[in-house]
Amino acid sequence: METKEAIKYFQSILRLNEKLETEYLTGISFGQSILVTIVSNISTHEYCLFLLEKNFFGVSIYKIISIDENFNFNIEKKFTNNNIIWIFKGLNIKELKVTIPMKQQYYKDFKYKLEKIYEEKKNTEYYEDFSFNWLNNYKSYETDLEEKFSNITTTEENPFIHPLSSEITLNYCLSRECWVSKQLAIEQPKFIDLRKINIFIGTWNVNGKNPDCSLNEWLNSYKYKTPDIYVIGLQEMDLSKEAYIVTNNERESLWCQRIEEGINTSSKKYVKVASQQMVGICVFAFVKKELKKAISNVSTTFIGCGLMGIMGNKGASGIRMMIYDSYVCFVNSHLAADSSQVQRRNEDFKDITKSLLFPFIPPSENINNYYNGTGFNKEQFYTENMLRFNITSNKWLNNICQENLKEKENMKLNFSIFDNDILFWFGDLNYRLNNSGDAIKEYINKGKIEDLLEFDQLMIEKEKKQVFTDFYESKIHFIPTYKYDIGTNIFDTSEKKRAPAFCDRILWYKSPKALKPSEISLNKISKEDEWIIPKNYNSYRNLTISDHKPVFSEFEILVRKVNKEKYSEIYSQLIKQLDRHENDSIPVLTVSSFVIDFGKITNNISSTKSIIIKNEGKVLSSYELVTSLDHNKSKSTFPYISVKPSSNSIYPGESQTVNITLTITTETSLKNIDEIIILSVKNGNDMFLNIKSEITPSIIGIPIETLCQINQPLSYYPWDTIIELSNKKELSDKTKEILEKEEFSCIPKCLYIIIDFLMKYGRDEKYSFNNGNIIIKKYIIYCLNNNIDLDINLLLFGRSSLSDSNLSSLDRLTSLDSMDTAISSISRIEKLSLYDYRLSESKNDLTQNVYKNYSLKEVKNKISIITKKQGKLPSINSMAEVLMKFLYEFPKAVVPYEIFKKYGSKFQTLYSALPPSHANTLNYLICYIGDTISYELFSKIELGILLS
Amino acid sequence: MNFSGRNDAASANMKPIQVKLVLLGESAVGKSSIVLRFVNNEYQDNKEPTIGAAFLTQRCKLDDRIIKFEIWDTAGQERFHSLAPMYYRNAQAAVIVYDITKPASLEKAKTWVKELQRQANPNIVIALVGNKIDLANNRSVPYEEAEAYANENGLLFFEASAKTGTNIIEVFTELAKKIPYEQILANNKTLNSRTNGQGDNGRVNLNESENNNQDGGQCNC
């Protein structure tokens, strides 16, 4: 399981005195997979929580929370789908929610541990002592979610390679999609054309009146160009009490009809795009027939914020539509009335910006693109829209993460009014003039409209950034549109004598972050370089049915139009580039050699070669030895090959030495080795390593029965013959032929030679089984393997029985390779004696000489020097050690375990149950032991070792 | 209502369909070069022999779909033959390459075809590619002969050159067109619901049997 791998990697970065306290827990935080685990520092008794993030390429530290006085954890009692939400708090983290499946087997253990630690720490007063300095080591691993996302938007490099560390810390899919979107945004000028659209926006508080008048003149009082789109917002369209309870479209259709009559003339025809009524607040949108095909994704919405904050006497209704490839939004609102209610109006504005949400309606003709078989594709949807909205903030990305947590069915996608390219806000905003009615009227009479604006509450509030921040309005040149006596152009003469005010306004929004048209498209069609260019702002005074006068404004807006061919072309290029990036980020490990030739090796002797694996890629890469080629078998295909470390992660540019060890025994049934093992690079290439070696047999590690069957030097027999004999397989013709000439000996010949030597020459010496001399042992095994008579004079007295000339001829006869084998086999014995028994002075021999190659002549000279100096004891000790080793390495003990277990101490039955060669050997050994005991040649302890 | 560009924008971000593709063929016929040409549009003279199996990805746009090829470029040397099943197992597409100047390489290609027909995924789409047509002067495998063989065995057939780039894209595009996607999607669905989306990067998974994750509510780990 990948989790285990991830945790393995994590464990590898922990240092010596740091300990993983719990098995890990799996959870989700912000849509990311998280492993939660407790780590302690043994030396400082400090505990902390590690949150590890799993991602496409492995594991990295997401957050570390030290369990100190600031630490706190809670379990939210909101169980969804058997998930538990844990809330962690700490010094560096305000609140972190992690959703953990309750079914997790480690859940209880974790909770118990954490509670225990927490309680313990809470009750101690040593917090001051805790510095958590050791955590600094991990700070570099830790990256913040926000930071990561900001990296997506700032780096244009390979999205698969994290710029800060060698690890990929981004969610794979997300980074890919974000990268494409980001690049598309950069490439926008190449495929986006701009289109000019003329918009006529009108707003009128109609005071609940029926449209008993013609709107023709008003709606055609545009000065600039024939509008492509009319958007009309009415307030108090329906003041009847029923309007609050039942939606009655009667008024709406009356007004709609009236507007249509007004805008449609012989030269231009419009169609209604949408309308949305909420009690008296109604907004209509009409588009020129020719432009109809450019409009898509139309949605409408409304929100009430009147009485009790929900009633529809005040509030807003809105229309959102896509014109070519830009989202354009219109908000018609009626805010709280009364001169003193500035604060209330500001609140209404905030409420509306927060709550006026447009539902997402999947475009019907493209529905399959979104419903990708598995449900709604959020990422795709968001990223697509990121491009459209020129979104530079991380809000959307965080949303994606949060949305991921929600159940699919419950998922609601909404757009705020700011999730648009172009936003207009108009209506009866009800902001008044901070002056007396008489004073205002005087200003008006004198034509000093500009001076009057200084008292305008909206402008004052806007200036203080209390409301309509980042909204713009054209300069007002018209006289206040409120409040008139019905049927006249005379300001309110009623008892209340309400002061005139600019209640009815039209504003537009311009994000400070928004890109300019010239940054998005190459075709410059307006010298202003703005998305919205106001052209005319006025009121129309000849409509007298209401106490308000209508206000209207003309705009020229720019919308984006994607050039399909160019887009397609650029997109394909990006995908190509993405592939290249992805291929660049594929882990690349190289090996120093593909062929590992062990040369000649000896059975039962492990032989090790090293290769160097280097990370030449750009990401943290891990390799793994593929032990089994057949995925159904759990058993290793090559039990005799071991690779250490068998898996590991390597940082870019770094290398790792990997030791490959071959251990051949008669049980592994092999002749010469020519095998391929696979080092698989995670998410990358597979490397084939060719392991080669030839086997030179040694008497050590060959079964007793086999040894009894052969009389010639071991090297005389092919290895497969030895294997066949050892495994009691059916003998091949070749083996039969070889064995025909052989006599069956009752005990292994070499055992006879060894014990014969010990009994003949060892009786007068007190010898041990562990003080052998490396050179002598080497010589003895060499002789035994090759069936060469031991040079007794040399071993006992340091006198070579052969003349120098004979020696050199022997040198030529025996290959140096087999000498090497003898040397290496000795080294194995030496190592064993290092671990199994006490160490003697032979340690020096080991370190100095073992890995050097000597000719037989040199060996003999050395032995001669030793024995001349120390007498025959070293030789006898060496022989005894060879005996020990020889017995120790039998694949089947002299008294096999199963027989020993069956018959135990009943010697007679045990004896008769043994195979003849084993029985003979045992017999022979007992004689030898009896002999040695009678001479008290060695201690009983050593005897015990021998017998076991 | 419609607007231009929309369709494209939507499909562009669609999750690509992953297709495992394996390259097989005798040593030195140009398998790695074909991949390099397809993926990076590059060519390298005297490429070293592949020892192992190289892994690369490449996306391809086909109608309204994005196909993501996950390409396993295998070693051609005979001594690695026994490892090939690891790579063609579960592959949806195979490109079997021979060298038009070497008749023996076509014979080897034929044995690969037989092996795949016997042991690989029964729906595997195979393309036979005669590489090195830039060396047409030294041609010793007639076009007609190989084509006839390909037709007989229901294989796509191309002669191509990784060196000049001739026909390389075509090999992969034509393969992409033939792949039974509905089946892949259906398989992925059942696979995903069973193993919780594991191994969705289509890699050679040597430990498939371990992945029976009983805890369905757990995240993909």
Side-chain angles (χ1 to χ4, degrees):
Chain A
M1 290 248 298
E2 275 187 57
T3 318
K4 279 183 187 152
E5 271 167 46
I7 211 78
K8 215 158 121 195
Y9 162 67
F10 169 62
Q11 275 169 333
S12 73
I13 64 168
L14 286 181
R15 282 160 307 172
L16 219 59
N17 51 355
E18 293 156 17
K19 189 180 147 209
L20 205 61
E21 284 288 327
T22 51
E23 297 277 355
Y24 41 87
L25 274 167
T26 308
I28 304 166
S29 169
F30 292 112
Q32 291 166 298
S33 292
I34 297 279
L35 292 163
V36 189
T37 181
I38 305 172
V39 175
S40 70
N41 186 313
I42 300 161
S43 40
T44 61
H45 294 283
E46 291 166 327
Y47 291 84
C48 68
L49 220 58
F50 272 71
L51 301 168
L52 310 172
E53 172 196 355
K54 280 180 301 152
N55 47 45
F56 189 65
F57 287 95
V59 64
S60 58
I61 295 168
Y62 167 60
K63 207 105 215 165
I64 301 168
I65 311 170
S66 42
I67 303 182
D68 53 18
E69 75 268 33
N70 297 298
F71 179 78
N72 197 345
F73 78 95
N74 264 311
I75 297 170
E76 200 167 279
K77 294 275 176 240
K78 204 167 67 189
F79 298 134
T80 54
N81 269 3
N82 288 326
N83 287 339
I84 305 167
I85 301 167
W86 288 67
I87 304 163
F88 300 109
K89 288 175 187 178
L91 187 64
N92 57 347
I93 195 147
K94 267 182 263 161
E95 189 179 274
L96 184 82
K97 286 190 182 183
V98 180
T99 310
I100 292 168
M102 203 157 51
K103 274 187 268 172
Q104 279 277 328
Q105 59 188 113
Y106 308 121
Y107 164 70
K108 280 197 177 127
D109 171 54
F110 180 82
K111 191 168 162 245
Y112 174 73
K113 266 243 164 73
L114 196 57
E115 272 166 357
K116 221 174 95 186
I117 296 166
Y118 186 52
E119 281 306 309
E120 191 183 300
K121 296 285 156 187
K122 224 164 61 175
N123 295 332
T124 53
E125 280 158 21
Y126 305 127
Y127 272 133
E128 306 85 77
D129 299 343
F130 292 130
S131 61
F132 287 95
N133 278 335
W134 55 285
L135 291 180
N136 291 338
N137 185 45
Y138 300 104
K139 281 282 185 283
S140 58
Y141 291 91
E142 197 181 352
T143 42
D144 204 75
L145 184 72
E146 274 292 311
E147 195 186 305
K148 266 181 245 164
F149 283 132
S150 65
N151 275 327
I152 308 175
T153 46
T154 52
T155 175
E156 288 152 28
E157 312 259 320
N158 190 335
F160 300 99
I161 297 170
H162 195 273
L164 299 177
S165 76
S166 47
E167 285 169 64
I168 304 292
T169 48
L170 298 172
N171 176 302
Y172 171 68
C173 271
L174 203 58
S175 64
R176 187 188 64 210
E177 300 302 343
C178 286
W179 185 86
V180 173
S181 291
K182 172 74 185 165
Q183 295 302 313
L184 279 175
I186 292 167
E187 302 286 346
Q188 272 189 109
K190 294 182 187 161
F191 62 85
I192 283 185
D193 296 334
L194 298 178
R195 288 278 186 279
K196 278 182 185 173
I197 303 284
N198 294 303
I199 298 184
F200 180 105
I201 293 175
T203 172
W204 190 18
N205 182 325
V206 297
N207 197 225
K209 299 294 190 301
N210 275 326
D212 297 333
C213 56
S214 162
L215 305 175
N216 293 25
E217 227 176 290
W218 171 40
L219 296 175
N220 288 299
S221 57
Y222 54 85
K223 291 227 170 64
Y224 180 61
K225 275 182 184 165
T226 312
D228 298 306
I229 293 171
Y230 273 100
V231 179
I232 307 298
L234 302 178
Q235 301 87 37
E236 296 188 12
M237 187 181 73
D238 194 345
L239 288 176
S240 62
K241 288 189 183 72
E242 297 80 42
Y244 291 95
I245 304 151
V246 199
T247 309
N248 186 350
N249 287 332
E250 203 179 309
R251 286 283 182 117
E252 186 186 329
S253 41
L254 275 177
W255 276 101
C256 184
Q257 200 187 328
R258 206 44 99 193
I259 296 166
E260 280 177 336
E261 282 167 19
I263 57 178
N264 284 313
T265 62
S266 54
S267 57
K268 53 190 175 65
K269 294 278 175 255
Y270 294 87
V271 284
K272 188 175 136 186
V273 175
S275 64
Q276 175 66 54
Q277 180 189 1
M278 192 211 43
V279 193
I281 305 165
C282 191
V283 60
F284 303 88
F286 303 88
V287 59
K288 243 187 181 171
K289 247 186 174 154
E290 304 90 285
L291 202 64
K292 169 86 177 166
K293 61 180 192 310
I295 309 291
S296 64
N297 292 11
V298 179
S299 59
T300 64
T301 187
F302 61 89
I303 185 79
C305 54
L307 286 170
M308 298 180 292
I310 49 160
M311 293 300 276
N313 60 328
K314 297 291 182 295
S317 58
I319 296 175
R320 179 181 195 257
M321 65 177 88
M322 189 178 252
I323 307 174
Y324 290 112
D325 291 301
S326 287
Y327 273 109
V328 183
C329 180
F330 303 95
V331 176
N332 173 28
S333 74
H334 192 184
L335 307 184
D338 202 286
S339 181
S340 60
Q341 294 292 328
V342 176
Q343 204 52 45
R344 186 63 211 276
R345 284 189 278 278
N346 292 354
E347 290 299 319
D348 284 352
F349 169 82
K350 274 176 203 140
D351 279 359
I352 292 167
T353 55
K354 258 186 241 153
S355 320
L356 191 70
L357 297 170
F358 291 90
F360 168 71
I361 304 159
S364 55
E365 54 299 12
N366 293 323
I367 199 155
N368 289 328
N369 291 336
Y370 286 104
Y371 289 88
N372 196 8
T374 51
F376 181 72
N377 186 340
K378 277 164 284 177
E379 275 172 33
Q380 170 198 336
F381 170 76
Y382 277 111
T383 47
E384 194 180 314
N385 282 294
M386 267 176 43
L387 166 68
R388 296 205 192 294
F389 307 147
N390 297 321
I391 284 168
T392 47
S393 80
N394 300 324
K395 203 183 92 196
W396 284 83
L397 285 165
N398 283 330
N399 277 349
I400 301 170
C401 295
Q402 310 247 351
E403 290 286 348
N404 277 340
L405 285 175
K406 292 185 188 166
E407 286 296 308
K408 223 180 283 167
E409 310 87 71
N410 303 336
M411 194 190 62
K412 266 188 192 155
L413 279 166
N414 288 315
F415 297 99
S416 104
I417 56 168
F418 299 107
D419 298 329
N420 292 294
D421 298 290
I422 285 171
L423 167 65
F424 290 104
W425 187 311
F426 45 86
D428 181 357
L429 308 185
N430 254 327
Y431 286 92
R432 307 300 168 92
L433 293 165
N434 286 332
N435 212 328
S436 70
D438 291 340
I440 295 166
K441 281 172 195 164
E442 207 177 317
Y443 276 106
I444 297 168
N445 289 337
K446 286 183 182 164
K448 289 184 171 170
I449 302 298
E450 203 164 322
D451 296 343
L452 203 50
L453 296 174
E454 282 172 31
F455 309 110
D456 180 54
Q457 290 172 341
L458 176 59
M459 292 196 176
I460 293 163
E461 292 301 304
K462 221 168 105 37
E463 192 67 31
K464 289 195 283 185
K465 296 209 184 298
Q466 293 300 308
V467 79
F468 284 100
T469 313
D470 295 323
F471 277 82
Y472 296 80
E473 188 186 16
S474 298
K475 190 111 192 199
I476 296 174
H477 296 293
F478 50 89
I479 64 170
T481 54
Y482 174 83
K483 176 184 184 174
Y484 294 89
D485 287 344
I486 306 289
T488 71
N489 275 335
I490 302 160
F491 285 113
D492 188 20
T493 54
S494 71
E495 227 170 275
K496 283 183 183 168
K497 278 204 184 340
R498 290 203 198 271
F502 297 104
C503 288
D504 309 286
R505 314 286 277 263
I506 299 169
L507 296 93
W508 68 93
Y509 174 75
K510 186 180 151 191
S511 162
K513 288 179 191 162
L515 296 169
K516 294 205 173 285
S518 60
E519 293 175 271
I520 283 177
S521 179
L522 291 174
N523 54 349
K524 293 184 176 60
I525 59 171
S526 80
K527 56 181 186 299
E528 289 92 345
D529 203 14
E530 291 287 345
W531 293 103
I532 299 171
I533 304 149
K535 291 295 182 187
N536 181 21
Y537 191 27
N538 214 338
S539 75
Y540 183 77
R541 299 181 55 80
N542 299 337
L543 287 167
T544 55
I545 56 164
S546 165
D547 55 350
H548 286 252
K549 299 294 173 196
V551 168
F552 67 97
S553 186
E554 291 170 62
F555 295 95
E556 182 184 279
I557 63 164
L558 296 181
V559 293
R560 289 176 293 170
K561 185 173 186 296
V562 172
N563 181 320
K564 203 175 170 184
E565 286 77 43
K566 283 186 194 160
Y567 174 86
S568 225
E569 193 184 308
I570 285 162
Y571 187 83
S572 307
Q573 284 170 10
L574 285 177
I575 289 297
K576 265 236 138 72
Q577 217 175 326
L578 185 70
D579 274 333
R580 201 171 254 251
H581 282 323
E582 190 172 345
N583 286 329
D584 276 351
S585 72
I586 285 177
V588 181
L589 296 182
T590 55
V591 285
S592 52
S593 168
F594 282 108
V595 179
I596 299 132
D597 194 343
F598 284 81
K600 293 193 171 167
I601 63 157
T602 306
N603 54 303
N604 280 47
I605 310 294
S606 295
S607 185
T608 299
K609 293 255 172 185
S610 297
I611 53 165
I612 293 161
I613 298 182
K614 190 170 183 214
N615 186 343
E616 290 189 351
K618 295 170 181 166
V619 292
L620 179 77
S621 311
S622 46
Y623 70 85
E624 183 186 32
L625 172 74
V626 178
T627 48
S628 171
L629 297 187
D630 185 346
H631 74 300
N632 292 325
K633 275 188 205 159
S634 53
K635 225 178 92 190
S636 170
T637 311
F638 310 115
Y640 49 89
I641 300 174
S642 78
V643 174
K644 266 178 191 166
S646 66
S647 67
N648 205 356
S649 299
I650 305 169
Y651 281 95
E654 289 184 4
S655 299
Q656 160 94 43
T657 305
V658 175
N659 291 323
I660 297 172
T661 304
L662 263 186
T663 312
I664 305 298
T665 65
T666 50
E667 280 159 357
T668 47
S669 308
L670 272 163
K671 31 187 185 174
N672 293 339
I673 292 170
D674 186 2
E675 295 293 348
I676 294 152
I677 58 168
I678 303 175
L679 279 184
S680 173
V681 181
K682 193 153 177 257
N683 300 314
N685 297 353
D686 285 352
M687 296 179 288
F688 297 165
L689 301 183
N690 193 350
I691 308 280
K692 279 183 170 172
S693 89
E694 260 179 64
I695 292 166
T696 311
S698 160
I699 51 146
I700 288 175
I702 290 179
I704 295 173
E705 284 168 50
T706 310
L707 288 174
C708 290
Q709 277 169 286
I710 54 175
N711 288 316
Q712 298 295 320
L714 200 58
S715 49
Y716 169 85
Y717 302 97
W719 180 242
D720 24 354
T721 303
I722 306 286
I723 295 294
E724 279 174 36
L725 291 172
S726 306
N727 292 310
K728 293 182 181 158
K729 279 188 186 161
E730 207 176 305
L731 301 179
S732 64
D733 292 343
K734 193 175 106 194
T735 309
K736 278 178 191 158
E737 192 188 316
I738 291 166
L739 291 181
E740 252 173 31
K741 304 167 203 156
E742 304 285 328
E743 293 165 31
F744 198 88
S745 50
C746 54
I747 63 161
K749 194 180 168 192
C750 37
L751 183 70
Y752 168 76
I753 295 168
I754 297 168
I755 289 180
D756 183 55
F757 180 89
L758 287 174
M759 285 170 76
K760 261 188 193 151
Y761 310 110
R763 281 186 176 160
D764 49 349
E765 293 273 2
K766 208 171 174 120
Y767 58 87
S768 73
F769 285 88
N770 58 359
N771 281 335
N773 179 286
I774 175 112
I775 309 270
I776 302 174
K777 283 185 289 186
K778 189 163 60 182
Y779 170 73
I780 294 167
I781 292 186
Y782 170 75
C783 290
L784 293 174
N785 278 345
N786 292 294
N787 218 3
I788 298 168
D789 288 336
L790 291 165
D791 189 339
I792 304 297
N793 280 329
L794 174 74
L795 288 174
L796 298 181
F797 315 110
R799 290 196 310 264
S800 178
S801 55
L802 289 170
S803 68
D804 280 355
S805 61
N806 280 343
L807 243 181
S808 54
S809 72
L810 185 65
D811 246 354
R812 259 181 266 117
L813 281 171
T814 57
S815 75
L816 268 173
D817 282 333
S818 53
M819 196 66 211
D820 289 344
T821 313
I823 291 166
S824 64
S825 67
I826 292 294
S827 73
R828 166 67 188 250
I829 296 171
E830 204 55 55
K831 276 177 197 156
L832 262 171
S833 70
L834 281 175
Y835 297 123
D836 293 354
Y837 319 115
R838 273 169 293 116
L839 185 64
S840 66
E841 82 265 354
S842 60
K843 190 186 172 187
N844 286 336
D845 295 334
L846 175 75
T847 49
Q848 286 166 17
N849 301 328
V850 163
Y851 296 107
K852 286 187 195 163
N853 290 337
Y854 291 111
S855 68
L856 187 57
K857 190 176 164 185
E858 282 172 315
V859 168
K860 285 198 164 187
N861 283 340
K862 281 197 179 281
I863 294 171
S864 167
I865 294 163
I866 293 164
T867 44
K868 272 180 182 157
K869 211 165 132 192
Q870 301 177 29
K872 66 178 179 176
L873 185 61
S875 300
I876 292 166
N877 280 341
S878 303
M879 190 61 84
E881 201 176 319
V882 170
L883 173 66
M884 182 69 91
K885 175 70 187 162
F886 182 69
L887 296 176
Y888 184 83
E889 289 285 332
F890 279 138
K892 231 179 194 179
V894 177
V895 180
Y897 180 68
E898 63 270 13
I899 293 176
F900 179 75
K901 202 175 148 196
K902 207 168 166 186
Y903 303 104
S905 53
K906 289 174 201 153
F907 187 77
Q908 274 307 322
T909 40
L910 182 141
Y911 187 79
S912 56
L914 288 172
S917 55
H918 282 251
N920 292 336
T921 307
L922 181 65
N923 216 351
Y924 193 66
L925 280 172
I926 288 169
C927 289
Y928 162 66
I929 291 162
D931 187 65
T932 54
I933 288 170
S934 61
Y935 287 90
E936 292 182 1
L937 292 179
F938 44 78
S939 69
K940 279 183 181 169
I941 298 158
E942 280 168 333
L943 184 68
I945 295 166
L946 185 64
L947 287 173
S948 68
Chain B
M1 274 182 247
N2 197 3
F3 69 90
S4 51
R6 171 108 210 166
N7 253 321
D8 218 51
S11 64
N13 283 312
M14 261 182 71
K15 214 176 180 176
I17 301 170
Q18 294 179 337
V19 171
K20 182 178 166 187
L21 183 146
V22 62
L23 275 100
L24 299 165
E26 201 180 63
S27 179
V29 294
K31 294 181 292 299
S32 302
S33 295
I34 288 174
V35 177
L36 194 64
R37 173 62 76 188
F38 175 55
V39 172
N40 285 351
N41 199 18
E42 283 169 7
Y43 178 78
Q44 236 177 292
D45 262 319
N46 303 319
K47 245 179 119 11
E48 284 189 12
T50 308
I51 297 175
F55 174 71
L56 287 162
T57 67
Q58 177 73 22
R59 286 176 186 77
C60 241
K61 203 160 160 259
L62 184 77
D63 303 330
D64 57 339
R65 284 194 169 102
I66 303 265
I67 313 299
K68 187 182 176 192
F69 279 118
E70 307 207 311
I71 304 165
W72 283 96
D73 172 24
T74 64
Q77 291 169 33
E78 190 52 40
R79 61 194 170 120
F80 301 128
H81 190 128
S82 62
L83 302 171
M86 280 176 58
Y87 300 96
Y88 66 67
R89 186 196 300 145
N90 305 330
Q92 285 109 7
V95 175
I96 297 178
V97 187
Y98 70 93
D99 177 348
I100 62 156
T101 67
K102 286 182 190 142
S105 68
L106 179 63
E107 292 313 306
K108 179 67 195 170
K110 287 178 183 174
T111 65
W112 279 119
V113 172
K114 270 184 212 134
E115 183 168 338
L116 290 189
Q117 284 170 344
R118 206 172 55 238
Q119 293 183 38
N121 167 5
N123 295 317
I124 194 167
V125 185
I126 305 174
L128 180 68
V129 176
N131 193 24
K132 307 193 186 176
I133 47 165
D134 48 292
L135 304 175
N137 292 340
N138 300 329
R139 175 194 285 278
S140 48
V141 179
Y143 181 92
E144 295 73 22
E145 182 195 330
E147 190 192 29
Y149 170 78
N151 288 341
E152 241 168 69
N153 287 275
L155 320 173
L156 292 167
F157 176 67
F158 297 90
E159 281 195 349
S161 166
K163 189 168 184 171
T164 62
T166 315
N167 257 349
I168 298 297
I169 304 270
E170 286 76 1
V171 170
F172 292 88
T173 329
E174 290 305 310
L175 267 175
K177 286 183 191 163
K178 288 265 170 146
I179 288 160
Y181 295 104
E182 304 314 320
Q183 217 161 342
I184 295 176
L185 286 174
N187 285 348
N188 283 352
K189 229 172 181 175
T190 50
L191 200 86
N192 282 347
S193 61
R194 196 176 61 241
T195 64
N196 221 347
Q198 283 188 3
D200 69 343
N201 54 355
R203 298 229 347 137
V204 172
N205 192 346
L206 298 161
N207 305 313
E208 275 163 14
S209 49
E210 287 179 32
N211 288 345
N212 286 325
N213 194 344
Q214 311 95 328
D215 197 349
Q218 218 168 310
C219 67
N220 304 350
C221 45

